[in-house]
Amino acid sequence: MKRRICVFIMLFLMCHIYAQLVYHDASKFPLLGKATEATGVRYERLPDSLKNISRAPLWNLSRNSAGMAIRFCSNSTTIAAKWEALINFHMNHMTDTGAKGLDLYCLQKNGEWRFVNSGRPNGKINQAIIIANMQPEEREYMLYLPLYDGLVSLSIGIDSLATINQPLIDYPIRQKPVVFYGTSILQGGCASRPGMAHTNVISRRLNRECINLGFSGNALLDLEVAKVIAEVDASVFVLDFVPNASVEQMKERMETFYHIIRSKHPDTPIIFIEDPIFTHTLYDERIAKEVQRKNDTLREIFNRLKKENEKNIILISSKNMLGEDGEATIDGIHFTDLGMMRYADLVCPIIKKAIK
């Protein structure tokens, strides 16, 4: 009986909290992480003009909101969210919070971003109190969006007497973003929550906007994607396509893909990243040979570009990307949070130096 009473009280209190909240459409606030504004829907990543041009799998993945984040400030004691996922996507090796949940960060006085809490999804239509019981102080927030699903709608809930406004501080810096192109790993597989995708980790470390053009299984050097990338006035371009692209595709398209970007940005650093030395290559000889062959091809083409006097190109070896303990992936390939952090540890200093 006592247990039933306690449950009833908890439900009553939760209903009371929800009743005191007012929701604001997130479309009123800045959205970080887009390469173009010419999308049919706000939370998509490729321009609507490519809908009937790009391969269907690539286009469908472009509707995922990977790398995007909403910026706002509020003095509310509670931050909540309502959102509808685009397809209610689920995988057996990635958390639902990472795939279709939300992640809230708060800007600290020292200029660093601090994880607050996640908005955990229950299905296609969701409502969650992300944080409550705070002091009513003005704070700067960043709300990361789903990595492997898209959004039909998103609203941010605050106290009925609180305010929610445009960000007062220009962090992450939006001028000259870093543009990433790559695979499922770059899209965020398999981070436990959106803020742990390595592009988001790097964005917070640099305090600079990063654009995530990761397409799971589909970083095949599609030239229309290179044209989208080339339209961004970036500080650095990071090309991490080798886990998906075959040797034949690299030989056929890599230089053309590169020159499309370079023709618009003659002096901007362009970084190429090798295929990771996946943890199971210690045992799977076929995969080990494939990784070696791909990385040899990447280095061969990169060296040819250098001999042709191409400037400001950088090649990052994957030798120490995942560490030596074999603990950085969920399935031998896709990164855990540990793998994401190790990737950021390797790549972030090189990007930072390239920006300077």
PDB file of all heavy atoms in Angstrom, residues 40 65 82 186 214 290:
ATOM      1  N   GLY A  40      15.014  21.329 -47.574  1.00  0.00           N
ATOM      2  CA  GLY A  40      13.564  21.359 -47.591  1.00  0.00           C
ATOM      3  C   GLY A  40      12.971  21.441 -46.202  1.00  0.00           C
ATOM      4  O   GLY A  40      11.924  22.053 -45.996  1.00  0.00           O
ATOM      5  N   SER A  65      19.867  14.190 -38.272  1.00  0.00           N
ATOM      6  CA  SER A  65      20.309  15.498 -37.758  1.00  0.00           C
ATOM      7  C   SER A  65      21.680  15.442 -37.091  1.00  0.00           C
ATOM      8  O   SER A  65      21.992  16.261 -36.227  1.00  0.00           O
ATOM      9  CB  SER A  65      19.271  16.054 -36.786  1.00  0.00           C
ATOM     10  OG  SER A  65      18.954  15.109 -35.775  1.00  0.00           O
ATOM     11  N   LYS A  82      10.182  18.447 -25.948  1.00  0.00           N
ATOM     12  CA  LYS A  82       9.247  17.593 -26.675  1.00  0.00           C
ATOM     13  C   LYS A  82       9.801  17.440 -28.085  1.00  0.00           C
ATOM     14  O   LYS A  82      10.193  18.428 -28.707  1.00  0.00           O
ATOM     15  CB  LYS A  82       7.858  18.231 -26.762  1.00  0.00           C
ATOM     16  CG  LYS A  82       7.075  18.294 -25.479  1.00  0.00           C
ATOM     17  CD  LYS A  82       5.708  18.939 -25.765  1.00  0.00           C
ATOM     18  CE  LYS A  82       4.876  19.087 -24.507  1.00  0.00           C
ATOM     19  NZ  LYS A  82       3.568  19.756 -24.795  1.00  0.00           N
ATOM     20  N   LEU A 186      31.851   8.685 -38.339  1.00  0.00           N
ATOM     21  CA  LEU A 186      31.815  10.141 -38.272  1.00  0.00           C
ATOM     22  C   LEU A 186      30.399  10.640 -37.992  1.00  0.00           C
ATOM     23  O   LEU A 186      30.207  11.612 -37.267  1.00  0.00           O
ATOM     24  CB  LEU A 186      32.350  10.728 -39.574  1.00  0.00           C
ATOM     25  CG  LEU A 186      32.662  12.221 -39.506  1.00  0.00           C
ATOM     26  CD1 LEU A 186      34.008  12.532 -40.141  1.00  0.00           C
ATOM     27  CD2 LEU A 186      31.575  13.048 -40.174  1.00  0.00           C
ATOM     28  N   GLY A 214      28.592  13.062 -42.128  1.00  0.00           N
ATOM     29  CA  GLY A 214      28.840  11.632 -42.057  1.00  0.00           C
ATOM     30  C   GLY A 214      27.610  10.882 -42.536  1.00  0.00           C
ATOM     31  O   GLY A 214      26.493  11.180 -42.114  1.00  0.00           O
ATOM     32  N   GLU A 290      42.367  -5.642 -46.099  1.00  0.00           N
ATOM     33  CA  GLU A 290      41.564  -4.608 -46.745  1.00  0.00           C
ATOM     34  C   GLU A 290      41.915  -3.225 -46.213  1.00  0.00           C
ATOM     35  O   GLU A 290      42.068  -2.272 -46.989  1.00  0.00           O
ATOM     36  CB  GLU A 290      40.070  -4.886 -46.509  1.00  0.00           C
ATOM     37  CG  GLU A 290      39.149  -3.871 -47.153  1.00  0.00           C
ATOM     38  CD  GLU A 290      37.687  -4.163 -46.870  1.00  0.00           C
ATOM     39  OE1 GLU A 290      37.331  -5.344 -46.709  1.00  0.00           O
ATOM     40  OE2 GLU A 290      36.906  -3.190 -46.789  1.00  0.00           O
TER      41      GLU A 290
END
